[in-house]
Coordinates of all heavy atoms in Angstrom, one line a residue:
M15 N -13.3 295.2 132.3 CA -14.4 294.3 131.9 C -15.6 294.7 132.7 O -15.6 294.7 133.9 CB -13.9 292.9 132.2 CG -15.0 291.9 131.8 SD -14.5 290.2 131.8 CE -14.1 290.0 133.6
I16 N -16.7 294.8 132.0 CA -18.0 295.1 132.6 C -18.9 293.9 132.5 O -19.0 293.3 131.5 CB -18.7 296.3 131.9 CG1 -17.8 297.5 131.8 CG2 -20.0 296.6 132.6 CD1 -17.8 298.4 133.0
C17 N -19.5 293.6 133.6 CA -20.4 292.4 133.6 C -21.7 292.7 132.9 O -22.4 293.7 133.1 CB -20.8 292.0 135.1 SG -21.9 290.6 135.1
K18 N -22.1 291.8 131.9 CA -23.3 292.0 131.1 C -24.4 291.0 131.4 O -25.4 290.9 130.7 CB -23.0 292.0 129.6 CG -21.9 292.9 129.2 CD -22.4 294.3 128.9 CE -21.4 295.1 128.2 NZ -21.6 296.5 128.3
K19 N -24.1 290.2 132.4 CA -25.0 289.1 132.7 C -26.3 289.6 133.3 O -26.4 290.6 134.0 CB -24.4 288.1 133.6 CG -23.2 287.4 133.0 CD -22.6 286.4 134.0 CE -21.4 285.7 133.4 NZ -20.7 284.8 134.4
E20 N -27.4 288.8 133.1 CA -28.7 289.1 133.6 C -28.8 289.1 135.1 O -29.6 289.6 135.8 CB -29.8 288.2 133.0 CG -30.1 288.5 131.6 CD -30.7 289.9 131.4 OE1 -31.5 290.3 132.2 OE2 -30.2 290.5 130.4
H21 N -27.8 288.3 135.7 CA -27.8 288.2 137.1 C -27.7 289.5 137.9 O -27.9 289.5 139.1 CB -26.8 287.1 137.6 CG -25.4 287.5 137.4 ND1 -24.4 286.6 137.4 CD2 -24.8 288.7 137.3 CE1 -23.2 287.2 137.2 NE2 -23.4 288.5 137.2
R22 N -27.3 290.5 137.2 CA -27.2 291.8 137.9 C -28.5 292.2 138.5 O -28.5 293.1 139.3 CB -26.8 292.9 136.8 CG -25.4 292.7 136.3 CD -25.0 293.8 135.3 NE -26.0 293.8 134.2 CZ -26.2 294.8 133.4 NH1 -25.6 295.9 133.6 NH2 -27.0 294.7 132.4
Y23 N -29.6 291.7 138.0 CA -30.9 292.2 138.4 C -31.6 291.2 139.3 O -32.8 291.4 139.7 CB -31.8 292.5 137.2 CG -31.1 293.5 136.3 CD1 -30.4 293.1 135.2 CD2 -31.2 294.8 136.6 CE1 -29.8 294.0 134.4 CE2 -30.5 295.8 135.9 CZ -29.8 295.4 134.7 OH -29.2 296.3 134.0
L24 N -31.0 290.2 139.8 CA -31.6 289.2 140.7 C -32.0 290.0 142.0 O -31.2 290.6 142.6 CB -30.7 288.1 141.1 CG -30.4 287.1 139.9 CD1 -29.3 286.1 140.3 CD2 -31.6 286.4 139.5
P25 N -33.3 289.8 142.4 CA -33.7 290.5 143.6 C -33.0 290.0 144.9 O -33.0 290.8 145.9 CB -35.2 290.1 143.7 CG -35.4 289.0 142.8 CD -34.3 289.0 141.8
L26 N -32.4 288.8 144.9 CA -31.7 288.3 146.0 C -30.7 289.4 146.6 O -30.5 289.5 147.8 CB -30.9 287.1 145.6 CG -29.8 286.6 146.5 CD1 -30.4 286.0 147.8 CD2 -29.0 285.5 145.8
F27 N -30.1 290.1 145.7 CA -29.1 291.0 146.1 C -29.5 292.3 146.7 O -28.7 293.0 147.3 CB -28.2 291.3 144.9 CG -27.5 290.0 144.3 CD1 -28.0 289.4 143.2 CD2 -26.5 289.5 145.0 CE1 -27.4 288.3 142.7 CE2 -25.9 288.3 144.6 CZ -26.4 287.7 143.4
D28 N -30.8 292.5 146.7 CA -31.4 293.7 147.4 C -31.0 293.6 148.9 O -30.9 294.7 149.5 CB -32.9 293.7 147.3 CG -33.3 294.2 145.9 OD1 -32.5 294.7 145.2 OD2 -34.5 293.9 145.5
N29 N -30.9 292.4 149.5 CA -30.7 292.3 150.9 C -29.2 292.5 151.3 O -28.9 292.5 152.5 CB -31.2 291.0 151.4 CG -32.7 290.9 151.2 OD1 -33.4 291.8 151.4 ND2 -33.2 289.7 150.9
L30 N -28.3 292.5 150.4 CA -26.9 292.6 150.7 C -26.5 294.0 151.1 O -27.2 295.0 150.7 CB -26.0 292.2 149.5 CG -26.1 290.8 149.1 CD1 -25.2 290.5 147.9 CD2 -25.8 289.8 150.2
P31 N -25.6 294.2 152.0 CA -25.2 295.5 152.4 C -24.5 296.3 151.3 O -23.9 295.6 150.4 CB -24.1 295.3 153.5 CG -23.7 293.9 153.4 CD -24.8 293.1 152.7
D32 N -24.6 297.6 151.3 CA -23.9 298.4 150.3 C -22.5 298.5 150.7 O -22.1 298.5 151.8 CB -24.6 299.8 150.2 CG -26.0 299.7 149.6 OD1 -26.2 298.9 148.7 OD2 -26.8 300.5 150.1
D33 N -21.7 298.7 149.6 CA -20.2 298.9 149.8 C -19.9 300.1 149.0 O -19.4 300.0 147.9 CB -19.5 297.6 149.4 CG -18.0 297.8 149.6 OD1 -17.6 298.8 150.3 OD2 -17.2 296.9 149.2
Q34 N -20.1 301.3 149.6 CA -19.9 302.5 148.8 C -18.4 302.9 148.7 O -18.0 303.5 147.7 CB -20.7 303.7 149.4 CG -22.2 303.5 149.3 CD -22.7 303.7 147.9 OE1 -21.9 304.0 147.0 NE2 -24.0 303.4 147.7
G35 N -17.7 302.6 149.7 CA -16.3 303.1 149.7 C -15.2 302.1 149.8 O -14.0 302.4 149.7
G36 N -15.6 300.8 149.8 CA -14.7 299.7 149.9 C -14.0 299.3 148.6 O -14.3 299.9 147.6
A37 N -13.1 298.4 148.7 CA -12.3 298.0 147.6 C -13.2 297.3 146.5 O -12.8 297.4 145.4 CB -11.2 297.0 148.0
G38 N -14.3 296.8 147.0 CA -15.1 296.0 146.0 C -16.3 296.7 145.5 O -17.2 296.1 144.8
R39 N -16.4 298.0 145.6 CA -17.7 298.7 145.3 C -18.0 298.7 143.9 O -19.2 298.8 143.5 CB -17.7 300.1 145.9 CG -16.9 301.1 145.1 CD -16.9 302.4 145.9 NE -16.2 303.4 145.1 CZ -16.9 304.4 144.5 NH1 -18.2 304.5 144.7 NH2 -16.3 305.3 143.8
H40 N -17.1 298.6 143.0 CA -17.4 298.5 141.6 C -17.5 297.1 141.0 O -17.7 297.0 139.8 CB -16.4 299.3 140.8 CG -16.5 300.8 141.0 ND1 -17.6 301.5 140.9 CD2 -15.5 301.7 141.4 CE1 -17.4 302.8 141.2 NE2 -16.1 302.9 141.5
R41 N -17.2 296.2 141.8 CA -17.2 294.8 141.3 C -18.6 294.2 141.3 O -19.5 294.6 142.1 CB -16.3 293.9 142.2 CG -14.9 294.3 142.3 CD -14.2 294.3 140.9 NE -13.0 295.0 140.9 CZ -12.2 295.1 139.8 NH1 -12.6 294.6 138.7 NH2 -11.1 295.8 139.9
C42 N -18.9 293.3 140.4 CA -20.2 292.7 140.3 C -20.4 291.7 141.4 O -19.8 290.7 141.5 CB -20.3 292.0 138.9 SG -21.9 291.2 138.7
A43 N -21.3 292.0 142.3 CA -21.6 291.2 143.5 C -22.2 289.8 143.0 O -22.0 288.8 143.7 CB -22.6 291.9 144.4
A44 N -22.9 289.8 141.9 CA -23.5 288.6 141.5 C -22.4 287.6 141.0 O -22.5 286.4 141.2 CB -24.5 288.8 140.4
C45 N -21.4 288.2 140.4 CA -20.3 287.3 140.0 C -19.5 286.8 141.2 O -19.1 285.7 141.2 CB -19.3 288.1 139.0 SG -20.0 288.3 137.4
A46 N -19.5 287.7 142.2 CA -18.8 287.2 143.5 C -19.7 286.1 144.1 O -19.1 285.1 144.7 CB -18.7 288.4 144.5
F47 N -21.0 286.2 144.0 CA -21.9 285.2 144.5 C -21.6 283.9 143.8 O -21.5 282.8 144.4 CB -23.4 285.6 144.3 CG -24.4 284.6 144.9 CD1 -24.9 284.8 146.1 CD2 -24.8 283.6 144.1 CE1 -25.9 283.9 146.6 CE2 -25.7 282.6 144.5 CZ -26.2 282.8 145.8
E48 N -21.6 283.9 142.5 CA -21.3 282.7 141.7 C -20.0 282.1 142.1 O -19.9 280.8 142.1 CB -21.4 283.0 140.2 CG -22.8 283.3 139.8 CD -22.9 283.4 138.3 OE1 -21.9 283.3 137.6 OE2 -24.1 283.6 137.8
R49 N -19.0 282.9 142.3 CA -17.7 282.3 142.6 C -17.8 281.7 144.0 O -17.2 280.6 144.2 CB -16.6 283.4 142.6 CG -15.3 282.9 143.0 CD -14.2 284.0 142.9 NE -14.0 284.4 141.5 CZ -13.3 285.4 141.1 NH1 -12.7 286.2 142.0 NH2 -13.2 285.7 139.8
G50 N -18.4 282.3 144.9 CA -18.6 281.7 146.3 C -19.4 280.5 146.2 O -19.1 279.5 146.9
Y51 N -20.4 280.5 145.4 CA -21.3 279.3 145.2 C -20.4 278.1 144.7 O -20.5 277.0 145.2 CB -22.4 279.5 144.3 CG -23.4 278.4 144.1 CD1 -24.4 278.1 145.0 CD2 -23.2 277.5 143.0 CE1 -25.2 277.0 144.9 CE2 -24.1 276.4 142.9 CZ -25.1 276.2 143.8 OH -25.9 275.1 143.7
Q52 N -19.6 278.3 143.7 CA -18.8 277.2 143.2 C -17.8 276.7 144.2 O -17.6 275.5 144.4 CB -18.0 277.7 141.9 CG -18.9 278.0 140.7 CD -19.8 276.7 140.3 OE1 -19.3 275.6 140.4 NE2 -21.0 277.0 140.0
D53 N -17.2 277.7 145.0 CA -16.3 277.3 146.1 C -17.0 276.5 147.2 O -16.5 275.5 147.7 CB -15.6 278.5 146.7 CG -14.5 279.1 145.7 OD1 -14.2 278.4 144.7 OD2 -14.1 280.2 146.0
G54 N -18.3 276.9 147.4 CA -19.1 276.2 148.4 C -19.4 274.8 148.0 O -19.4 273.9 148.8
L55 N -19.8 274.6 146.8 CA -20.1 273.3 146.2 C -19.0 272.3 146.4 O -19.2 271.2 146.7 CB -20.4 273.4 144.7 CG -21.9 273.6 144.3 CD1 -22.0 273.5 142.8 CD2 -22.8 272.6 144.9
K56 N -17.8 272.8 146.2 CA -16.6 272.0 146.4 C -16.1 272.0 147.8 O -15.1 271.3 148.2 CB -15.4 272.6 145.5 CG -15.7 272.5 144.0 CD -14.6 273.3 143.3 CE -15.1 273.8 141.9 NZ -14.4 275.0 141.5
R57 N -16.8 272.8 148.7 CA -16.4 272.9 150.1 C -14.9 273.3 150.2 O -14.2 272.7 151.0 CB -16.7 271.7 150.9 CG -18.2 271.5 151.1 CD -18.5 270.3 151.9 NE -19.7 269.6 151.4 CZ -20.0 268.3 151.6 NH1 -19.1 267.5 152.2 NH2 -21.1 267.8 151.1
R58 N -14.5 274.2 149.4 CA -13.1 274.6 149.4 C -12.8 275.2 150.8 O -13.6 275.9 151.4 CB -12.8 275.6 148.3 CG -12.7 274.9 147.0 CD -12.3 275.9 145.9 NE -11.0 276.5 146.2 CZ -10.4 277.4 145.5 NH1 -11.0 277.9 144.5 NH2 -9.2 277.9 145.8
E59 N -11.6 274.9 151.2 CA -11.2 275.4 152.6 C -10.2 276.6 152.4 O -9.9 277.3 153.4 CB -10.5 274.3 153.4 CG -11.6 273.2 153.7 CD -11.1 271.9 154.3 OE1 -9.8 271.9 154.5 OE2 -11.8 271.0 154.4
Q60 N -9.6 276.7 151.3 CA -8.7 277.9 151.1 C -9.5 278.8 150.2 O -9.6 278.6 149.0 CB -7.4 277.4 150.4 CG -6.6 276.4 151.1 CD -6.0 276.9 152.4 OE1 -5.7 278.1 152.5 NE2 -5.8 276.0 153.4
L61 N -10.0 279.9 150.7 CA -10.8 280.8 150.0 C -10.1 282.0 149.6 O -9.3 282.6 150.3 CB -12.1 281.2 150.8 CG -12.9 280.0 151.3 CD1 -14.0 280.5 152.2 CD2 -13.4 279.1 150.2
N62 N -10.4 282.5 148.3 CA -9.7 283.6 147.8 C -10.7 284.4 147.0 O -11.1 284.0 145.9 CB -8.5 283.3 147.0 CG -7.8 284.5 146.5 OD1 -8.1 285.6 146.8 ND2 -6.8 284.3 145.7
L63 N -11.2 285.5 147.5 CA -12.2 286.3 146.8 C -11.6 286.9 145.5 O -12.3 287.1 144.5 CB -12.8 287.4 147.7 CG -13.9 287.0 148.6 CD1 -13.5 286.1 149.7 CD2 -14.5 288.3 149.2
D64 N -10.3 287.3 145.6 CA -9.7 287.8 144.4 C -10.5 288.9 143.7 O -10.9 288.7 142.5 CB -9.3 286.7 143.4 CG -8.3 287.2 142.4 OD1 -7.7 288.2 142.6 OD2 -8.1 286.5 141.4
L65 N -10.9 289.9 144.4 CA -11.8 290.9 143.9 C -11.4 291.5 142.6 O -12.2 291.8 141.7 CB -12.0 292.0 144.9 CG -12.8 291.7 146.2 CD1 -12.9 292.9 147.1 CD2 -14.2 291.2 145.9
D66 N -10.1 291.7 142.4 CA -9.6 292.4 141.2 C -9.9 291.6 140.0 O -9.9 292.2 138.9 CB -8.1 292.6 141.3 CG -7.8 293.7 142.3 OD1 -8.7 294.5 142.7 OD2 -6.6 293.8 142.7
S67 N -10.2 290.3 140.1 CA -10.4 289.5 138.9 C -11.9 289.5 138.5 O -12.3 288.9 137.5 CB -9.9 288.1 139.0 OG -10.7 287.3 139.9
L68 N -12.8 290.0 139.4 CA -14.2 290.0 139.1 C -14.5 291.1 138.1 O -13.9 292.2 138.1 CB -15.0 290.3 140.4 CG -15.0 289.1 141.4 CD1 -15.7 289.7 142.7 CD2 -15.8 288.0 140.8
P69 N -15.5 290.9 137.2 CA -16.0 292.0 136.3 C -16.6 293.1 137.1 O -17.0 293.0 138.3 CB -17.1 291.3 135.5 CG -17.1 289.9 135.8 CD -16.3 289.7 137.1
E70 N -16.6 294.3 136.5 CA -17.2 295.4 137.2 C -18.6 295.5 136.9 O -19.1 295.0 135.9 CB -16.4 296.7 136.7 CG -15.0 296.7 137.1 CD -14.3 298.0 136.8 OE1 -15.0 299.1 136.7 OE2 -13.1 298.0 136.7
S71 N -19.4 296.2 137.7 CA -20.8 296.3 137.5 C -21.1 297.8 137.4 O -20.7 298.6 138.3 CB -21.5 295.7 138.7 OG -22.9 295.8 138.5
Q72 N -22.0 298.1 136.5 CA -22.3 299.5 136.3 C -23.8 299.8 136.5 O -24.3 300.9 136.5 CB -21.9 300.0 134.9 CG -20.5 300.0 134.6 CD -19.8 301.1 135.5 OE1 -20.3 302.0 135.9 NE2 -18.5 300.8 135.8
A73 N -24.6 298.7 136.6 CA -26.1 298.9 136.7 C -26.7 297.7 137.4 O -26.0 296.8 137.7 CB -26.6 299.0 135.3
G74 N -28.0 297.9 137.6 CA -28.7 296.7 138.2 C -28.6 296.7 139.8 O -28.0 297.6 140.4
T75 N -29.3 295.7 140.3 CA -29.4 295.7 141.8 C -28.1 295.4 142.5 O -27.9 295.6 143.7 CB -30.4 294.7 142.3 OG1 -30.0 293.4 141.7 CG2 -31.8 295.0 141.8
V76 N -27.1 294.9 141.8 CA -25.8 294.5 142.4 C -24.8 295.6 142.4 O -23.8 295.5 143.0 CB -25.2 293.3 141.8 CG1 -26.1 292.1 141.8 CG2 -24.7 293.5 140.4
R77 N -25.2 296.7 141.8 CA -24.3 297.9 141.9 C -24.0 298.3 143.3 O -25.0 298.6 144.0 CB -24.8 299.0 141.0 CG -23.7 300.1 140.9 CD -24.1 301.1 139.9 NE -22.9 302.0 139.7 CZ -22.9 303.2 139.3 NH1 -24.1 303.7 138.9 NH2 -21.9 303.9 139.2
H78 N -22.8 298.5 143.6 CA -22.4 299.0 144.9 C -22.7 298.0 146.1 O -22.7 298.4 147.2 CB -22.9 300.4 145.2 CG -22.3 301.4 144.3 ND1 -22.8 302.7 144.2 CD2 -21.2 301.3 143.5 CE1 -22.1 303.4 143.4 NE2 -21.1 302.6 142.9
K79 N -23.1 296.8 145.7 CA -23.3 295.8 146.8 C -22.0 295.2 147.2 O -21.1 295.1 146.4 CB -24.3 294.7 146.3 CG -25.7 295.2 146.1 CD -26.3 295.7 147.4 CE -27.7 296.2 147.2 NZ -28.3 296.7 148.5
S80 N -21.9 294.8 148.4 CA -20.7 294.2 149.0 C -20.4 292.9 148.3 O -21.1 291.9 148.5 CB -20.8 294.0 150.5 OG -19.8 293.2 150.9
P81 N -19.3 292.8 147.6 CA -18.9 291.5 147.0 C -18.5 290.5 148.1 O -18.6 289.3 147.9 CB -17.8 291.8 146.1 CG -17.2 293.1 146.6 CD -18.3 293.9 147.2
H82 N -18.0 291.0 149.2 CA -17.7 290.1 150.3 C -18.9 289.4 150.8 O -18.9 288.2 151.0 CB -17.0 290.9 151.5 CG -15.8 291.6 151.1 ND1 -15.8 292.8 150.5 CD2 -14.5 291.2 151.1 CE1 -14.5 293.2 150.2 NE2 -13.7 292.3 150.6
A83 N -20.0 290.2 151.0 CA -21.2 289.6 151.5 C -21.8 288.6 150.4 O -22.3 287.6 150.8 CB -22.2 290.7 151.8
A84 N -21.7 289.1 149.2 CA -22.2 288.2 148.1 C -21.5 286.9 148.0 O -22.1 285.8 147.8 CB -22.1 289.0 146.8
Y85 N -20.2 287.0 148.1 CA -19.4 285.8 148.1 C -19.7 284.8 149.2 O -19.9 283.6 149.0 CB -17.9 286.1 148.2 CG -17.0 284.9 148.1 CD1 -16.4 284.4 146.9 CD2 -16.6 284.2 149.3 CE1 -15.6 283.3 146.9 CE2 -15.8 283.1 149.3 CZ -15.3 282.7 148.1 OH -14.5 281.5 148.1
A86 N -19.9 285.4 150.4 CA -20.2 284.6 151.6 C -21.6 284.0 151.4 O -21.8 282.8 151.8 CB -20.1 285.5 152.9
A87 N -22.5 284.7 150.9 CA -23.9 284.2 150.7 C -23.8 283.0 149.7 O -24.5 282.0 149.8 CB -24.8 285.3 150.3
G88 N -23.0 283.2 148.6 CA -22.9 282.2 147.6 C -22.2 281.0 148.1 O -22.6 279.8 147.8
Y89 N -21.2 281.2 149.0 CA -20.5 280.1 149.6 C -21.4 279.2 150.4 O -21.5 278.0 150.3 CB -19.3 280.6 150.4 CG -18.4 279.4 150.9 CD1 -17.4 278.9 150.1 CD2 -18.6 278.9 152.2 CE1 -16.6 277.9 150.6 CE2 -17.8 277.8 152.6 CZ -16.8 277.3 151.8 OH -16.0 276.3 152.3
L90 N -22.2 279.9 151.2 CA -23.2 279.2 152.1 C -24.2 278.4 151.2 O -24.5 277.2 151.5 CB -24.0 280.1 153.0 CG -25.1 279.5 153.9 CD1 -24.5 278.4 154.8 CD2 -25.7 280.6 154.7
A91 N -24.7 279.0 150.2 CA -25.7 278.3 149.3 C -25.0 277.1 148.6 O -25.6 276.1 148.5 CB -26.2 279.3 148.2
G92 N -23.8 277.3 148.3 CA -23.1 276.2 147.6 C -22.8 275.0 148.6 O -23.0 273.8 148.2
V93 N -22.4 275.3 149.8 CA -22.2 274.3 150.8 C -23.5 273.5 151.0 O -23.6 272.3 151.1 CB -21.7 274.8 152.1 CG1 -21.7 273.8 153.2 CG2 -20.2 275.3 151.9
Q94 N -24.6 274.3 151.2 CA -25.9 273.7 151.4 C -26.3 272.7 150.3 O -26.7 271.6 150.5 CB -27.0 274.7 151.7 CG -26.9 275.4 153.0 CD -27.8 276.6 153.2 OE1 -28.1 277.3 152.2 NE2 -28.2 276.8 154.4
D95 N -26.1 273.2 149.1 CA -26.4 272.4 147.9 C -25.5 271.2 147.8 O -25.9 270.1 147.3 CB -26.4 273.2 146.6 CG -27.6 274.1 146.5 OD1 -28.5 274.0 147.3 OD2 -27.6 274.9 145.5
S96 N -24.3 271.2 148.3 CA -23.4 270.1 148.2 C -23.8 268.9 149.1 O -23.4 267.8 148.9 CB -22.0 270.6 148.6 OG -21.8 270.6 150.1
Y97 N -24.7 269.2 150.0 CA -25.2 268.1 150.9 C -26.5 267.5 150.3 O -27.0 266.6 151.0 CB -25.4 268.6 152.3 CG -24.2 268.9 153.1 CD1 -23.7 270.2 153.3 CD2 -23.4 267.8 153.5 CE1 -22.5 270.4 154.0 CE2 -22.2 268.0 154.2 CZ -21.8 269.3 154.4 OH -20.6 269.5 155.1
R98 N -27.0 268.0 149.3 CA -28.3 267.5 148.8 C -28.1 266.2 148.0 O -27.0 266.0 147.4 CB -28.9 268.5 147.8 CG -29.3 269.8 148.6 CD -30.6 270.4 148.2 NE -31.1 271.3 149.2 CZ -31.0 272.7 149.0 NH1 -30.6 273.2 147.9 NH2 -31.4 273.5 150.0
Ligands
ZN129 ZN1 -21.7 289.7 137.1

């Protein structure tokens, strides 16, 4: 499954580290961000990145971005929003 969402091009992801050789390098970091965000909103305490279930990314700014960093950034944003 290839991610076709517009979020592939969000400039936010420019700041994430690259993951050229890791397990998540073909996964869509923006989808990882959204998953982290949803978990953060719920302040989930049992976290599971489950990288294999994320769509793959072939283009855009999230290509080869670390899904681990994206998930963590999303989780933080979600937790912050949960207090608003
Ligand atoms: Zn995506």
Side-chain angles (χ1 to χ4, degrees):
M15 179 172 62
I16 307 276
C17 181
K18 305 277 193 203
K19 294 181 182 174
E20 287 298 318
H21 66 201
R22 291 180 301 159
Y23 301 99
L24 291 175
L26 164 70
F27 298 103
D28 286 342
N29 295 324
L30 294 179
D32 290 322
D33 183 7
Q34 292 289 356
R39 76 189 187 104
H40 292 305
R41 300 297 166 181
C42 179
C45 286
F47 181 96
E48 288 186 357
R49 180 173 296 170
Y51 182 82
Q52 291 303 321
D53 287 350
L55 268 185
K56 298 172 203 149
R57 292 183 214 152
R58 285 187 58 186
E59 295 170 4
Q60 304 289 334
L61 305 180
N62 182 3
L63 273 67
D64 194 16
L65 289 180
D66 286 345
S67 73
L68 288 171
E70 296 186 23
S71 182
Q72 295 294 337
T75 57
V76 301
R77 189 170 185 201
H78 293 168
K79 291 299 180 184
S80 166
H82 299 84
Y85 179 92
Y89 187 85
L90 176 59
V93 169
Q94 286 174 328
D95 283 355
S96 78
Y97 287 108
R98 295 218 167 105

